[in-house]
Amino acid sequence: MSDAVFPFSAVLGQDELKRCLALCAVDPGIAGVLAIGDRGTAKTTTVRGLGALLRTAGVLMPIAELPLGASEDRVLGSLDVDRALRGEVAFAPGVLGQAHGGFLYIDEVNLLDDLLVDVLLDVAASGVNRVERDGISHVHPARFVLVGSGNPEEGELRPQLEDRFGLATAVTTITDVDVRLEIVRRRLRFDRDPDAFVAAARESELRLGERIVRARDLLDEVAVSERILRQIVDVCVESGAIGHRADLVMTRTALAGAAFAGRAEVTGADVAMAAVPALRHRTPRQPAERAAAPAARVRLATARVLGLRAA
C-alpha cells in the first residue's frame, strides 16, 4: 500500500487556508492557523500535504498530529517503558516533543479536553514543556506552529485557545460546480494510483517549495514603513480587534506575504491580505450576528484605512 500524501499544490478551492499555512512556514512566529468550517473540506488533507511539501523542499518543519482523545501522557511525554524494564529511568517524548520546530496539528480542536487545553496554553506561551511524573523530572523546548481544525456546529473553542492561533480561516463547502467536479476527478486519480498522481504534481510542488524557501531567506530583509505600521494599527482599531497580539500578528503576516511575493518592502496589498485572517477571530460577534460578520467588518475597516473599494 502506498504511503503517498495528496499534494498540497493539488488541493483545490481552499486558497486562503493554503496561503495561511504557507505564510506560517515562511514565518513560524505568526504562530498558527485555525481552520473552522464544514466537514469534508480537505482541512486535514491540506495540512498533511504541507508536511510532504516542506520535506520535499528540505524545510525541517515536521508535522505532529494530536489524536482526538489522546491521554496527557501521550501529549506531554512519559516514562520510557522499554528502558524502564532494563532498569533505566528515561523520558519518552510525547506529541509536544515531536512537534518542536514544526507544526502541531489538532483536528476537532474545539472538542479538546479542558485539561489538554490548559497544557497547550501553558506550553504555547512559554515554549517549554515541563514534565514531573512517574519519577521523571524533564524539561524540553516545545516551540511549534499550532494548527487546528474543527466544525463550529460541534462546539465552541475556548477564547484563550482561539487567540493563540495567529490566523483564522473559514473553510466552507465549495458551490462552484466545475471546481467540485475537478476535486472529484483529482481524488479519484489519486486513489487509483497515488504514486503516479504525486509524480505528476512534483513540478508544481517543487516550485511552491522553492518559493517558500526563498521567502524564508528574504524575510529578515523585508522592510515595513511607519506609514504601513500606522495603517495596520488603524485597521485593528477600526475593526474593534481585541488585544495587541492582533497588531503584531497582522504585521508579521504582511511581512511574510511580501517575502512570499518576492518583495523587499510591505505594501498596502500585503496589509489587505493579512487583515481578515489575522483579525476575524479577534473581532467579537454581536448578539444575533452572522458568523461571517466579523470578517465583513474587517474588510470594511481595511477598505476605509487603505482607501480601497470594499469587496
Side-chain angles (χ1 to χ4, degrees), residues 260-284:
F260 194 58
R263 286 184 275 100
E265 187 169 2
V266 175
T267 68
D270 301 313
V271 174
M273 174 277 301
V276 171
L279 304 182
R280 63 159 34 102
H281 57 314
R282 297 186 169 93
T283 303

Side-chain angles (χ1 to χ4, degrees), residues 56 62-63 146 161 216 235:
T56 300
I63 292 184
L146 193 59
L161 182 57
R216 285 165 62 92
V235 170

Side-chain angles (χ1 to χ4, degrees), residues 9 14 23 41 63 88 136 156 169 175 178 187 229 233 266 269 298:
S9 60
Q14 303 301 351
L23 293 181
T41 47
I63 292 184
E88 303 175 42
I136 288 179
E156 294 293 325
T169 178
T175 57
D178 291 333
R187 188 70 218 191
L229 282 176
V233 172
V266 175
V298 173

Side-chain angles (χ1 to χ4, degrees), residues 93-150:
V95 176
L96 295 182
Q98 296 162 8
H100 178 58
F103 291 80
L104 175 61
Y105 175 55
I106 310 171
D107 192 16
E108 306 292 354
V109 65
N110 47 332
L111 302 182
L112 202 61
D113 181 87
D114 280 346
L115 176 62
L116 294 184
V117 170
D118 291 338
V119 168
L120 284 174
L121 287 171
D122 179 60
V123 175
S126 67
V128 174
N129 180 33
R130 294 178 174 84
V131 182
E132 302 278 351
R133 62 196 316 159
D134 301 327
I136 288 179
S137 178
H138 188 85
V139 178
H140 68 81
R143 296 181 180 86
F144 45 78
V145 178
L146 193 59
V147 178
S149 65

Side-chain angles (χ1 to χ4, degrees), residues 1 12 221 234 264 297:
M1 184 176 179
L12 282 180
E221 300 174 22
D234 284 347
R297 199 153 49 243

Side-chain angles (χ1 to χ4, degrees), residues 8 11-25 30 32-38 40-50 53 103 105-107 145-150 165 167-172 174 208 212 253 260 273 276-277 280:
F8 184 80
V11 174
L12 282 180
Q14 303 301 351
D15 293 342
E16 185 182 59
L17 173 58
K18 291 170 67 177
R19 182 172 62 249
C20 288
L21 289 170
L23 293 181
C24 283
I30 291 171
V33 183
L34 177 62
I36 293 293
D38 300 336
T41 47
K43 297 186 289 293
T44 299
T45 296
T46 304
V47 174
R48 289 174 178 167
L50 176 69
L53 172 71
F103 291 80
Y105 175 55
I106 310 171
D107 192 16
V145 178
L146 193 59
V147 178
S149 65
F165 292 92
L167 306 175
T169 178
V171 183
T172 58
I174 295 163
L208 182 53
I212 290 173
T253 304
F260 194 58
M273 174 277 301
V276 171
R280 63 159 34 102

